Every structure is written in C-alpha cells, then in structure tokens.
Amino acid sequence: MKKTELSELLHSVGIQVNEGISSEGKFPRIVYWPYLEEDVMASGEGYENKVTYQVSLFSKEPQGKAYKILRKKLREKGLHPMFQHEYVEKDKFFANSWHTFFSIEVIEEIEDGK
C-alpha cells in the first residue's frame, strides 16, 4: 500500500482525518502519523522507503460506527491489523473517550536529494 492509498482509505470513512495533528474536541476523528522508517532495495536499483504509521481513531463510544466502517474497508483491501482499544478518562484533548489504534506499513518513494 502506498501513502496516498492509506490517506484515501482513511478519508473514505467519512469522518475528520488529520495527518499528525489532532483537532481538539471533534469526535469521531482519525489522526495518523509516521513513527518508523526503513530504506528497502527495490528491484536491485534505488530505494523505497518503508514507513510504519500509527492510525488512531478517537470516539465517544467503544468500537462504534466509524470503527466498524474503517475495519470493513481495511478487510476489503486484505489488511488485517491488530487493533488496540483504551478508554481515556483524563486528557486535555481526549477526555472521556475511546482511543482505538493500530499500525500499518506503507511504501513511499524516495525523491532525489532526500
């Protein structure tokens, strides 16, 4: 999967999606960001960049409608990540909400000079 495909999949859920920055007070919402990167040889020439993203879904209900839609769309793409769920009781942005998260690897092309 490429990063553009991940972004399109997340936006197709029909809720607010942000890369790297969470919007205060909006529920449900998805926030995703890269946290691991690794160079990978591609066909013996050049490199691709394998990037692991964390995808977080914040909701006021456990495993609600947005979660079910997201999971269905991932399954349709043949993707079956391990989901983790936690209740956040006290936090500046996420108080009294459910945080569901998973990691997913994507491939990004490395541009010249980077």
Side-chain angles (χ1 to χ4, degrees):
M1 170 179 278
K2 296 193 182 278
K3 181 183 175 189
T4 54
E5 294 172 298
L6 174 62
S7 178
E8 288 170 6
L9 185 144
L10 297 176
H11 281 88
S12 74
V13 174
I15 62 174
Q16 181 174 328
V17 177
N18 290 75
E19 183 177 357
I21 300 173
S22 184
S23 296
E24 190 175 339
K26 303 265 183 177
F27 293 96
R29 69 181 175 277
I30 293 173
V31 181
Y32 68 108
W33 62 89
Y35 70 92
L36 290 173
E37 293 187 57
E38 177 183 2
D39 289 337
V40 179
M41 288 293 289
S43 303
E45 294 181 17
Y47 285 89
E48 288 183 331
N49 196 32
K50 181 170 69 172
V51 181
T52 304
Y53 278 83
Q54 176 169 319
V55 177
S56 290
L57 170 64
F58 298 95
S59 179
K60 288 294 188 179
E61 57 183 341
Q63 300 172 343
K65 183 178 177 182
Y67 166 75
K68 290 174 183 171
I69 292 169
L70 176 59
R71 191 155 192 199
K72 180 181 181 206
K73 289 180 177 290
L74 287 163
R75 286 175 174 160
E76 288 170 354
K77 293 275 189 188
L79 301 169
H80 306 278
M82 183 185 327
F83 289 88
Q84 297 181 62
H85 308 279
E86 65 180 350
Y87 181 71
V88 181
E89 186 174 354
K90 295 180 181 179
D91 187 274
K92 180 179 177 181
F93 297 115
F94 315 118
N96 302 314
S97 65
W98 287 91
H99 176 213
T100 296
F101 57 100
F102 63 95
S103 62
I104 191 164
E105 291 181 349
V106 302
I107 297 296
E108 296 178 354
E109 291 184 18
I110 296 179
E111 297 177 22
D112 291 337
K114 291 189 177 183

